[in-house]
Amino acid sequence: MKQVVVHPERCVGCRQCMLACATAHSQSQRLTSAVLETPRPKPRVHVGVGRLEEGFPNRCRHCDPAPCMLACLPGAIYRDTATQTVLIDADRCINCASCAMVCPFGVLRYHADRLAPAGKTVAVKCDNCIARQIQGLVPACVEACRTGALTFETLDQAMKRKTDAVSRSMSTTAVEAEAPAGVSLLHQIKKVQARLRT
Amino acid sequence: MHHVIIGNGIAGVSAAEAIRRIDPHSAITMIGDETEIPYCRPMISMVLEGALGPERLPIRGRDFYASLKISPLLGERVTALDTDARQVTIGEGRTISYDRLLIASGADPRPIKAEGCDLENIFFLRNQAQVRRMQAVLPDAREALVLGGGLVGFKAAYGLLRRGLKVTLVIRSGYPLSMQADETAGAMVLAELCRQGLDVRVGVEAIGFEGGTAVRRAHLSDGTQLACDLVVVGKGVLPAHSFVNRSQITVDLGIVVDAHMRTGAAHVFAAGDVAEAVDLARQTRWVNAIWPEAVAQGRLAGQNMAGRSVAGTGSLGRNVIRIFDLDIMTGGIVSPEQEKGYEILQCHDPRSHTYRKMVFQCDRLVGVVMVNRIEQGGVLLSMIQGRIPVAIDKEKMLSPGFNYAQLLP
Ligand SMILES: Cc1cc2nc3c(=O)[nH]c(=O)nc-3n(C[C@H](O)[C@H](O)[C@H](O)COP(=O)(O)OP(=O)(O)OC[C@H]3O[C@@H](n4cnc5c(N)ncnc54)[C@H](O)[C@@H]3O)c2cc1C
Ligand code: SF4
C-alpha cells in the first residue's frame, strides 16, 4: 500500500503543499476561487519552522494504534482500513480537543469545514486525500512538492531509496548527496545564518 | 477461562474489546449497574445543556454485548469480592466465580458535608439517570447553584446558563480549576466566567441548605445566603471500591495497580477512575480520573487478562477544557512546591489572551499549562509522557511558534 512519506531533509519551506492541500479540500478545487469560499479552505499539512529555520512538512502520521482515536470522547475518529487512514467524523465531533491533547505531532486544527455541518467548528486533519485517491490521483501535497520532500510510495520502496542513497554516498565513484545539491546548499546557508545570530 | 468485569464504563468496555481481540472464545461477563448501552460520560452535560439528545451519547452499537459474546448483567451491583474464593457477590447474595477479574467500577461524586443535603433538587452530575432527573425539574427552575470549580462544575454551570437559568458558581479555593491549572490560568478563567454572566464566588463553600421538601436557599461559609431551586454538586470524585476487602487488595485512594494493571490479589486487575497507577510526571502513585487514561488502562488490563504480558509506562493527568472563548490545556505538575528544585518558565500575554507555563525537573518537562493556542499541547504532553530529555533551548518551547519540527535533531 502506498502512503505519503516525508523526507524532511529535502524541504525548502516553500509551503506549496499547504496551498495545494487547502485547494484539494475546497469546493471549487481551484486556488483562485478557493480563497473566496466560505468557510475558507484550510490546509491539513503544516510546514513548521525548525530550529535552523528549515521547513518541516508536518502531517498526520495515521498512527496505529492512534492515540487520538483512543482519546476521542464521542468516538468520532476511526480508521479506513483500505487506505490505513485515520479519519474524523465531523458529525460526531464535539470539538473537545482531546485529540490535540494526545497528538504527539500537533497536527490537529479546529475550524469550520466544507464537509462539516454548516457553522460547526470541528477537528480537522489530513485525510490522505482519499477523495483524490479514489480518482486515481496522488495526494495533493505530494503532487505539489517540487523537491521530493513528500513522496507517495510504499514504505519498502522508501526504505530502499534511503539505503541506496546511503550506499551511493559511501562509494567513492558516485557522490550524489541525499538531498538535491541546491537544497543542501540552502540548508548549509541557513545553518550558518542561525549560528551567526546566536 | 471466565473473565468477569465489574463496570460497563469506558475502562470496562475497552478491556472487554481487548480481551476479545486476543481471545475469541473465553467467556466474558460484565456487571454494571447502569443499563444504557455504553455511552460517553463526559458528554452528559451536553444533554443537560440541551445541545444534543441522549440518543447521541452511545459510543458503541446496540449489539455491543452480543457481537462480542459478552454476558451482560446490567442493573446489578457488585456488593462483595472474595479473592480467596475467587468470586464476586451481586446484590443480595448471588455469587459469580471468575478466573480473571477486572475492577473497572469508576468513581462516584465526592459527597459534601453540609446540612440539608438530602433535600430534593440537589444533584450530582455523573450519569444519564441524574441528568434525566435534572431535566425533569428544569422547567420550574430559575436560580441554580453549582458547587465546585473543576471540570464537572464548569460543565454543569455552562449547561444551566445555556438553559437560561441564573447560575452562581461556588468555588472553595481562590480560583477555578485549582486542581488542573495554576493561579494565572485560574484568574484568566475566572475573568472569562464572570464576563459570560456567571456569578462566581471564590474562597467560600456551601455549609447548609434549607427548604420544605425541595431546596430553596443555601448558606455559604462567608455568611451569605442565596436563593436557589436547583443545586449541582461537582466537587470531584472518589474511586468506587466499597466492595473491596482491604485485607485482600491494597487500596490507597484508588486500587493500587502495577504496570500490568494487576492489583495485589492474584488474577485481579483494576483500570480507569478506580485505579491508582504510577503517575509519569510525579513518579509516584496517583489517581488520574480522566477518559483517555480509562481507555488506555482498560485496554492494557484486557491484554494482560487475555494472557499477553504487556506493561504500561504509567499514567499522566491531563485535561483540555474549552470554556466559552478560552481554551485551556494542562498536564503533569502545574503548581510545584518551590523548594523541590523545579525550573519554571512562563509567558503571559494579556493582549492576545495567551499564557504558557512549563515546569521542568532537570532536563525533563514535567508540567504544562496553556491558555489558548493549544494545538501544539499534545507535543509537549507527549514529551512528559515519554520522559524525553529536553535537548533544545527551553525558552523555545514557550514561544507561540513552537512545533514538532523544533524537536528534530
Ligand atoms: C460531566 C462529566 C464530564 C467529564 N468530562 C471529561 C472530559 O472532558 N475529559 C476527560 O478526560 N474526562 C472527563 N470526565 C471523566 C470521565 O468521564 C471518566 O474519567 C471516565 O468515564 C472513567 O471511566 P471508567 O470506566 O473508569 O469509570 P465510569 O465511567 O465511572 O464507569 C464505571 C461504571 O461502573 C459502574 N459501577 C460502579 N460500581 C459498581 C458496582 N459495585 N457494581 C456494578 N457496577 C458498578 C458505574 O455505575 C459505571 O457505570 C467527565 C466526567 C463527567 C461526569
Ligand atoms: S475534537 Fe472532535 S475528533 Fe477531536 S477528540 Fe474531540 S470529538 Fe474527537
Side-chain angles (χ1 to χ4, degrees):
Chain A
M1 196 201 58
K2 285 188 177 179
Q3 60 190 78
V4 177
V5 183
V6 180
H7 313 271
E9 69 284 357
R10 290 172 164 260
C11 175
V12 292
C14 70
R15 303 190 177 210
Q16 289 295 324
C17 52
M18 292 176 68
L19 284 177
C21 177
T23 309
H25 292 92
S26 71
Q27 184 86 49
S28 61
Q29 303 283 310
R30 295 167 61 130
L31 178 60
T32 42
S33 41
V35 293
L36 301 172
E37 288 174 23
T38 336
R40 167 84 67 93
K42 293 193 175 158
R44 294 127 193 263
V45 54
H46 310 279
V47 176
V49 178
R51 269 178 293 158
L52 305 174
E53 301 202 347
E54 73 280 25
F56 178 82
N58 197 17
R59 62 195 288 290
C60 174
R61 312 300 200 276
H62 304 278
C63 316
D64 189 11
C68 59
M69 229 168 112
L70 295 175
C72 175
L73 301 177
I77 308 185
Y78 62 101
R79 185 183 303 276
D80 172 66
T81 40
T83 56
Q84 282 303 316
T85 301
V86 174
L87 295 169
I88 301 176
D89 179 343
D91 288 319
R92 290 192 75 112
C93 173
I94 56 168
N95 186 30
C96 66
S98 295
C99 43
M101 182 175 82
V102 299
C103 177
F105 304 107
V107 299
L108 285 128
R109 298 293 181 275
Y110 303 88
H111 49 75
D113 186 65
R114 177 171 71 89
L115 298 175
K120 186 179 174 187
T121 297
V122 293
V124 181
K125 64 162 199 70
C126 164
D127 60 359
N128 272 338
C129 279
I130 285 203
R132 286 175 55 100
Q133 285 198 48
I134 290 170
Q135 299 168 34
L137 300 169
V138 302
C141 57
V142 173
E143 191 179 83
C145 183
R146 299 283 183 271
T147 62
L150 295 163
T151 56
F152 191 57
E153 54 191 331
T154 64
L155 266 191
D156 294 359
Q157 256 179 325
M159 278 307 284
K160 178 150 188 340
R161 286 200 312 122
K162 276 237 154 65
T163 31
D164 286 356
V166 170
S167 59
R168 265 201 308 278
S169 65
M170 299 290 210
S171 83
T172 44
T173 47
V175 281
E176 194 198 339
E178 245 248 83
V183 179
S184 306
L185 183 63
L186 185 69
H187 285 321
Q188 286 300 329
I189 294 171
K190 281 187 173 171
K191 258 181 212 161
V192 173
Q193 280 179 335
R195 224 175 289 140
L196 286 176
R197 268 197 308 273
T198 52
Chain B
M1 179 74 78
H2 184 204
H3 297 281
V4 173
I5 299 175
I6 307 173
N8 53 349
I10 191 63
V13 166
S14 304
E17 290 172 340
I19 294 172
R20 265 297 167 260
R21 264 195 297 275
I22 298 171
D23 173 356
H25 303 298
S26 288
I28 303 179
T29 302
M30 280 182 93
I31 310 161
D33 63 355
E34 287 188 86
T35 50
E36 292 92 355
I37 353 171
Y39 68 94
C40 180
R41 191 172 304 290
M43 280 167 70
I44 59 173
S45 63
M46 301 177 79
V47 176
L48 175 67
E49 175 198 336
L52 41 87
E55 75 285 351
R56 293 283 303 275
L57 295 181
I59 45 168
R60 296 295 185 270
R62 241 168 221 296
D63 62 347
F64 170 74
Y65 297 106
S67 66
L68 291 182
K69 287 183 285 166
I70 296 168
S71 315
L73 284 172
L74 306 183
E76 307 259 21
R77 272 193 85 78
V78 170
T79 48
L81 161 62
D82 184 346
T83 57
D84 293 332
R86 276 212 224 160
Q87 59 186 26
V88 294
T89 307
I90 296 175
E92 297 298 300
R94 200 173 134 206
T95 58
I96 291 184
S97 300
Y98 63 81
D99 297 307
R100 297 285 179 277
L101 176 72
L102 174 65
I103 304 173
S105 43
D108 292 322
R110 185 190 294 272
I112 51 164
K113 290 188 209 85
E115 244 165 83
C117 278
D118 46 359
L119 285 171
E120 276 173 24
N121 299 356
I122 300 180
F123 299 98
F124 291 116
L125 179 60
R126 180 72 191 178
N127 56 42
Q128 288 199 61
Q130 289 157 348
V131 171
R132 284 194 291 269
R133 287 199 287 275
M134 270 189 253
Q135 280 177 309
V137 306
L138 270 183
D140 299 320
R142 299 284 171 274
E143 295 168 290
L145 183 67
V146 176
L147 310 179
L151 210 66
V152 173
F154 278 154
K155 290 193 175 186
Y158 180 82
L160 294 170
L161 200 65
R162 283 293 173 108
R163 287 280 189 175
L165 275 70
K166 177 178 174 297
V167 183
T168 307
L169 183 61
V170 173
I171 303 173
R172 194 178 54 151
S173 43
Y175 54 92
L177 287 183
S178 62
M179 300 299 286
Q180 289 87 8
D182 68 340
E183 203 169 342
T184 310
M188 294 171 82
V189 172
L190 182 59
E192 175 70 7
L193 293 178
C194 296
R195 198 172 71 86
Q196 299 284 349
L198 274 175
D199 178 0
V200 188
R201 314 280 174 100
V202 294
V204 286
E205 55 188 324
I207 52 168
F209 302 98
E210 56 175 286
T213 46
V215 65
R216 285 277 166 264
R217 185 173 292 280
H219 295 264
L220 304 187
S221 54
D222 63 354
T224 41
Q225 296 187 18
L226 286 174
C228 56
D229 41 23
L230 194 159
V231 176
V232 182
V233 182
K235 311 246 335 146
V237 293
L238 291 172
H241 46 50
S242 57
F243 53 86
V244 169
N245 180 341
R246 286 168 182 252
S247 67
Q248 292 180 328
I249 290 182
T250 316
V251 176
D252 183 26
L253 175 60
I255 297 175
V256 174
V257 291
D258 67 9
H260 297 263
M261 296 292 122
R262 290 182 296 227
T263 68
H267 311 305
V268 181
F269 299 74
D273 281 10
V274 76
E276 184 174 316
V278 169
D279 180 281
L280 283 162
R282 294 184 169 84
Q283 290 293 307
T284 162
R285 291 192 322 242
W286 204 267
V287 177
N288 286 316
I290 54 169
W291 183 272
E293 275 310 332
V295 174
Q297 295 183 0
R299 281 183 96 220
L300 195 57
Q303 289 167 333
N304 283 288
M305 289 166 77
R308 188 182 287 174
S309 178
V310 192
T313 53
S315 77
L316 179 65
R318 59 223 135 111
N319 282 281
V320 57
I321 310 151
R322 296 195 194 263
I323 304 164
F324 300 106
D325 291 337
L326 280 188
D327 297 338
I328 297 115
M329 196 183 287
T330 68
I333 306 169
V334 296
S335 304
E337 293 160 49
Q338 226 92 65
E339 61 276 12
K340 297 253 171 77
Y342 292 96
E343 183 186 351
I344 297 176
L345 296 180
Q346 51 197 344
C347 164
H348 180 196
D349 181 359
R351 262 186 315 160
S352 65
H353 286 290
T354 52
Y355 172 57
R356 260 182 205 197
K357 170 179 180 174
M358 275 166 225
V359 181
F360 297 90
Q361 203 171 26
C362 303
D363 63 347
R364 296 234 157 73
L365 181 65
V366 294
V368 174
V369 181
M370 298 172 107
V371 180
N372 289 337
R373 302 201 63 165
I374 57 168
E375 288 89 350
Q376 300 302 313
V379 180
L380 298 165
L381 292 169
S382 300
M383 290 183 74
I384 304 180
Q385 236 180 344
R387 294 182 59 71
I388 299 165
V390 177
I392 66 170
D393 182 4
K394 290 172 184 160
E395 290 281 351
K396 284 235 161 82
M397 295 166 64
L398 268 191
S399 119
F402 172 77
N403 70 89
Y404 177 79
Q406 305 197 339
L407 297 174
L408 299 176

